[in-house]
């Protein structure tokens, strides 16, 4: 049998591991374990070595790992060594083999290795790992692939990771501009409103993250980046609001009530529908409007950057719901019920903060003349129509008939998000 270890060579009889001067305190156990790996239970491994403490360390290591140990055969060698300088003979046990009895692979490492319903006992094990039995059961309740998955998730995550931007470098905060006080106040009010909505858009995926089985890691990664996107948006919108030394704008009770209904939706698909497909979908139009009518370069830049991020969020929401709709024909009924339930809960609220609406008109007007204010008002009406059209288009993509899509879009909150 071929010998194993430093200085070893072929020879008759049991396999021999020659450790030389290497002791257990410097990693000898790695060579011992490697040499035992190819032996069957009951076979022996002779160990030679010069470390005086080798027999003691071998005895403790074998006891801890379920292997037997016997003294070397008498050979008359000094220092208690057997023939050929053997210090001890390890009898290969099976404790390490029994430990992995019943172990199973946690699916495959790639997206094509997803399990339809991963075992809760896999917990935090990496996808594709060999999972030892007896570990803790994870606290995850979203364990069904079709309840969280979309085939585009790996691609969207890769794109999201590549498109991350640094607020300090991506925006020229020193860009020169001067605005009339009324226009600056309008910008500040809109920024205040955006921060409020982005905070809700951060909390929703953050709440869902903790519930998803890590087996669906691409979804976790994507939602984690989505939360990071929203955190960055909160930063830049706040920074723009305070850029000229003013105070933040107003926050209406109705606006906060509208956002609160997003926070209380426990179902992953329904939360994605209300936030990403309807709310953030409408925000794509709003951010494009703000970029188009921005009175200064900083506002123009940050709304453009935020819109690119939000487009990914909407893309995942639509893709997930499209995927789930193909395996769950009853989904559309639940989506409709969620829209109606939210509409009924907000019936007595005022909807969009009047200060925000007026500020949008001012930004679109660009100047304080009757004609300009009229144009600004018309532009905001066109914005609302564009939002409605976008919601209808996404609803039709999810399988709703055109007339039902129009009806559901009309029930969407007047607070946009």
């Amino acid at each position: 049998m071929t010998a194993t270890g430093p200085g070893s060579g072929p020879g008759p009889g049991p396999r021999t591991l020659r450790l030389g001067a290497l002791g257990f305190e410097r990693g000898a156990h790695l060579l011992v374990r490697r040499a035992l790996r190819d032996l069957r239970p009951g076979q022996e491994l002779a160990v030679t070595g010069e470390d005086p403490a080798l027999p003691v360390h071998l005895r403790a290591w074998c006891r801890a790992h379920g292997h037997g140990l016997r003294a070397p055969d008498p050979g008359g060698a000094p220092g208690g060594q057997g023939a050929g300088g053997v210090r001890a003979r390890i009898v290969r046990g099976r404790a390490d083999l029994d430990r992995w009895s019943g172990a199973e692979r946690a699916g495959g490492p790639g997206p094509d290795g997803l399990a339809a319903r991963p075992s809760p006992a896999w917990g935090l094990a990496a996808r594709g790992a060999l999972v030892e039995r007896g570990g803790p059961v994870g606290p995850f309740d979203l364990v069904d692939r079709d309840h969280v998955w979309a085939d585009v998730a790996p691609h969207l995550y890769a794109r999201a990771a590549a498109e991350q931007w640094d607020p300090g470098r991506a925006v020229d905060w020193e860009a020169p501009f001067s605005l009339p006080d009324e226009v600056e106040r309008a910008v500040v009010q809109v920024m205040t409103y955006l921060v409020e909505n982005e905070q809700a858009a951060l909390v929703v995926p953050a709440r869902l993250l903790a519930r998803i089985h890590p087996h669906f890691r691409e979804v976790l990664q994507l939602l984690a980046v989505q939360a990071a996107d929203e955190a960055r948006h909160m930063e830049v919108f706040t920074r723009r609001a305070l850029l000229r030394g003013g105070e933040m704008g107003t926050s209406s009770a109705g606006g906060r009530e509208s956002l609160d209904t997003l926070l209380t939706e426990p179902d992953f698909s329904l939360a994605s529908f209300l936030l990403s497909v309807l709310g953030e979908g409408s925000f794509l139009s709003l951010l494009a409007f703000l970029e188009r009518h921005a009175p200064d370069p900083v506002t123009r830049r940050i709304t453009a950057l935020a819109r690119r991020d939000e487009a990914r969020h909407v893309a995942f929401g639509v893709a997930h719901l499209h995927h789930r709709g193909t395996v769950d024909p009853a989904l559309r009924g639940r989506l409709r019920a969620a829209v109606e339930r939210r509409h009924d809960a907000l019936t007595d609220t005022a909807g969009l903060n009047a200060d925000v609406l007026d500020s949008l008109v001012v930004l679109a007007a660009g100047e304080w003349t009757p004609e300009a204010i009229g144009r600004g008002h018309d532009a905001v009406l066109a914005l609302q129509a564009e939002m409605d059209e976008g919601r209808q288009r996404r609803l039709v993509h999810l399988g709703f008939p055109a007339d039902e899509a129009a009806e559901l879009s009309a029930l969407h909150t007047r607070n946009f998000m």
Side-chain angles (χ1 to χ4, degrees):
M1 181 177 290
T2 303
T4 304
S8 61
R15 185 183 295 254
T16 299
L17 173 64
R18 306 186 189 283
L19 293 175
L22 185 68
F24 266 60
E25 76 282 359
R26 295 181 56 229
H29 68 285
L30 295 174
L31 295 177
V32 174
R33 186 171 62 198
R34 180 173 181 265
L36 289 171
R37 186 176 57 199
D38 297 329
L39 300 184
R40 296 189 301 273
Q43 288 187 307
E44 291 188 358
L45 174 70
V47 182
T48 73
E50 303 166 10
D51 180 18
L54 183 60
V56 175
H57 289 161
L58 273 173
R59 188 177 304 113
W61 187 87
C62 287
R63 184 168 58 247
H65 291 83
H67 303 294
L69 190 74
R70 66 183 186 85
D73 297 328
Q81 298 180 14
V86 174
R87 307 290 298 278
R89 294 184 179 275
I90 301 175
V91 182
R92 208 258 193 255
R94 61 171 305 113
D96 58 331
L97 302 176
D98 292 340
R99 173 185 175 187
W100 297 101
S101 175
E104 60 180 345
R105 289 282 172 190
D112 57 347
L114 285 175
R117 192 175 178 85
S119 169
W122 293 354
L124 296 172
R127 197 168 67 213
L130 183 63
V131 183
E132 181 183 7
R133 297 179 63 183
V137 174
F140 316 108
D141 65 294
L142 292 174
V143 297
D144 190 308
R145 177 184 58 198
D146 293 330
H147 290 180
V148 300
W149 186 252
D151 288 338
V152 76
H155 166 73
L156 283 177
Y157 169 67
R159 195 175 112 194
E163 291 180 351
Q164 294 300 289
W165 45 277
D166 178 357
R169 297 186 178 186
V171 182
D172 182 6
W173 298 101
E174 303 298 327
F177 67 87
S178 178
L179 300 179
D181 290 345
E182 298 92 337
V183 176
E184 177 64 20
R185 281 198 296 269
V187 172
V188 169
Q189 180 59 63
V190 171
M191 293 297 119
T192 302
Y193 166 78
L194 291 178
V195 171
E196 187 173 277
N197 283 266
E198 298 289 34
Q199 289 178 165
L202 184 153
V203 171
V204 172
R207 289 177 63 247
L208 296 172
L209 263 171
R211 298 173 51 202
I212 299 173
H213 197 300
H215 185 73
F216 309 113
R217 68 166 185 263
E218 291 86 354
V219 177
L220 288 181
Q221 292 167 322
L222 189 58
L223 291 182
V225 174
Q226 182 172 332
D229 288 342
E230 307 299 7
R232 190 169 54 244
H233 300 171
M234 289 157 51
E235 175 188 345
V236 296
F237 293 149
T238 301
R239 192 166 173 178
R240 172 59 189 93
L242 303 178
L243 190 60
R244 288 296 185 259
E247 295 181 328
M248 299 294 283
T250 63
S251 170
S252 69
R256 295 196 308 279
E257 286 185 43
S258 177
L259 295 175
D260 188 65
T261 60
L262 296 174
L263 309 184
T264 55
E265 177 52 67
D267 183 272
F268 181 89
S269 295
L270 299 187
S272 298
F273 176 62
L274 295 176
L275 173 65
S276 298
V277 178
L278 297 181
E280 290 180 309
S282 298
F283 257 54
L284 289 179
S285 298
L286 175 60
L287 291 169
F289 174 94
L290 293 172
E291 181 185 1
R292 188 164 57 248
H293 295 289
D296 63 86
V298 174
T299 299
R300 185 175 304 110
R301 178 62 172 162
I302 62 176
T303 51
L305 290 168
R307 184 162 63 93
R308 187 178 68 183
D309 293 340
E310 298 292 350
R312 292 194 308 270
H313 309 170
V314 175
F316 174 69
V318 171
H320 162 66
L321 290 162
H322 187 270
H323 168 81
R324 187 167 182 184
T326 60
V327 297
D328 183 6
L331 175 66
R332 284 194 295 275
R334 295 200 299 277
L335 297 180
R336 179 185 181 94
V339 173
E340 293 173 341
R341 184 166 59 248
R342 189 180 186 207
H343 175 266
D344 291 344
L346 298 174
T347 297
D348 296 328
T349 63
L352 184 65
N353 183 351
D355 292 339
V356 176
L357 182 62
D358 291 346
S359 295
L360 293 175
V361 171
V362 169
L363 293 181
E367 58 181 87
W368 289 94
T369 65
E371 295 77 15
I373 294 298
R375 288 195 304 269
H377 185 269
D378 292 344
V380 173
L381 292 181
L383 166 64
Q384 292 171 315
E386 179 185 335
M387 290 178 171
D388 177 55
E389 180 183 350
R391 289 193 298 267
Q392 291 188 49
R393 185 172 60 252
R394 286 183 286 274
L395 288 166
V396 168
H397 177 73
L398 295 178
F400 287 96
D403 58 342
E404 189 174 1
E407 179 186 351
L408 290 178
S409 179
L411 294 178
H412 182 64
T413 171
R414 291 165 290 177
N415 193 49
F416 298 164
M417 180 70 84

